[in-house]
């Protein structure tokens, strides 16, 4: 793995590291920049302004520049959305769906996507990921997901994946990229995408503990979004255990420089 360039490091994460007003502070920072007219219409320059805020002002829980029809679960202030939305457009793609539960964060994403000139590609969907996925499926907007970036409530990675399998949104040909599988870690998700269909079928027959976060998550991870009374209830879909994934861990860094990793899983078939 290459070395982390320390000059790019974000400020360290504080005890309270989001939803304390810094997201709107970021908007004032970006829109207050002297070179705003140069920034307008440039995803790269909006990303650079966000990085500058993360380095010189306050930590932001972005994917960061080292990791980085498409759906992301968890948009926050739009860093990954601009990074990947820009790549989608360059590759000739049409749509990047950013599913974000917090409406204030969703408004920040839309504002920065507009500034970056990406509002024709980016579609921000406000609501809990499981409800949004079901709605987008049921109204015919989403029939198949080519690439899904999972970066939201850690215990929901596995349950949302199983929901997508059941809805056939994820099927052979789909690729999953799951962030933060080292820090804070996601043992239940990794176990699932690395298991054989046979193993998953056995787990499905046992199917207990559905709807509750896996006990291996730390309390602070389970409670991360509890301050606004957001529900930690999880979707109880059984998934499609016969799906086969070819899965591998790509080591990388958090924007603070802390080691982390993304699990890349390609759905290769069904048994
Ligand atoms: C780590 S941040 C996402 C960072 C973003 N992907 C980036 O790299 O720029 C996680 C986001 O997921 C959102 N979130 C948490 N649980 C969610 C859920 N069940 N559905 C949708 N969004 C959720 C949080 O509000 C937060 O904004």
């Amino acid at each position: 793995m290459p070395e982390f360039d320390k000059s790019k490091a974000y400020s360290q994460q504080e005890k309270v590291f989001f939803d304390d007003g810094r997201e709107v502070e970021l908007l004032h920072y970006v829109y207050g920049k002297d070179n705003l007219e140069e920034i307008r219409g440039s995803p790269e320059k909006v990303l650079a302004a966000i990085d500058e805020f993360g380095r010189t002002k306050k930590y932001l829980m972005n994917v960061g520049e080292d990791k980085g029809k498409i759906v992301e679960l968890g948009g926050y202030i739009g860093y990954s959305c601009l990074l990947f939305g820009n790549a989608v457009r360059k590759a000739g793609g049409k749509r990047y769906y950013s599913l974000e539960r917090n409406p204030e964060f969703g408004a920040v994403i839309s504002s920065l996507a507009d500034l970056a000139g990406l509002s024709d590609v980016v579609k921000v969907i406000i609501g809990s990921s499981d409800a949004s996925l079901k709605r987008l499926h049921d109204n015919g907007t989403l029939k198949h997901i080519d690439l899904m970036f999972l970066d939201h409530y850690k215990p929901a990675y596995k349950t949302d994946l199983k929901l997508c399998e059941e809805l056939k949104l994820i099927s052979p040909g789909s690729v999953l990229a799951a962030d933060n599988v080292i820090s804070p870690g996601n043992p239940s998700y990794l176990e699932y995408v690395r298991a054989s269909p046979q193993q998953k079928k056995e787990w499905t027959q046992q199917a207990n503990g559905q709807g509750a976060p896996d006990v291996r998550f730390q309390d602070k991870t389970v409670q991360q979004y509890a301050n606004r009374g957001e529900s930690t209830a999880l979707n109880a879909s059984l998934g499609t255990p016969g799906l086969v994934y070819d899965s591998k861990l790509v080591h990388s860094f958090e924007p603070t420089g802390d080691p982390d990793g993304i699990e890349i899983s390609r759905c290769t078939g069904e048994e």
Side-chain angles (χ1 to χ4, degrees), residues 97-110:
Y97 293 92
S98 179
L99 275 46
E100 170 54 53
R101 178 159 59 182
N102 183 315
E104 284 168 13
F105 298 168
V108 175
I109 304 173
S110 297

Side-chain angles (χ1 to χ4, degrees), residues 61-63 74-76 79-80 99-102 105 127-129 149 151-153 225:
M61 55 174 171
N62 303 331
V63 64
Y76 190 41
Y79 192 97
S80 51
L99 275 46
E100 170 54 53
R101 178 159 59 182
N102 183 315
F105 298 168
S128 184
S129 49
F149 178 53
D151 193 17
H152 61 326
Y153 182 48
Y225 301 104

Side-chain angles (χ1 to χ4, degrees), residues 42-82:
S42 164
E44 291 85 358
K45 289 193 172 126
V46 179
L47 286 166
I50 298 173
D51 282 332
E52 198 175 270
F53 181 94
R55 282 172 196 141
T56 62
K57 304 289 175 196
K58 288 179 186 159
Y59 170 84
L60 296 168
M61 55 174 171
N62 303 331
V63 64
E65 62 186 89
D66 276 2
K67 296 177 190 161
K69 195 173 248 161
I70 303 197
V71 172
E72 76 176 1
L73 309 183
Y76 190 41
I77 53 83
Y79 192 97
S80 51
C81 178
L82 300 190

Side-chain angles (χ1 to χ4, degrees), residues 207-225:
N208 48 23
Q210 294 268 35
D214 188 288
V215 292
R216 287 169 289 183
F217 284 110
Q218 290 180 8
D219 279 355
K220 67 173 186 189
T221 301
V222 173
Q223 298 301 329
Q224 183 168 353
Y225 301 104

Side-chain angles (χ1 to χ4, degrees), residues 178-193:
D179 197 15
N180 307 128
V181 297
I182 291 181
S183 173
N186 206 322
S188 56
Y189 176 83
L190 290 184
E191 197 171 71
Y192 187 78
V193 290

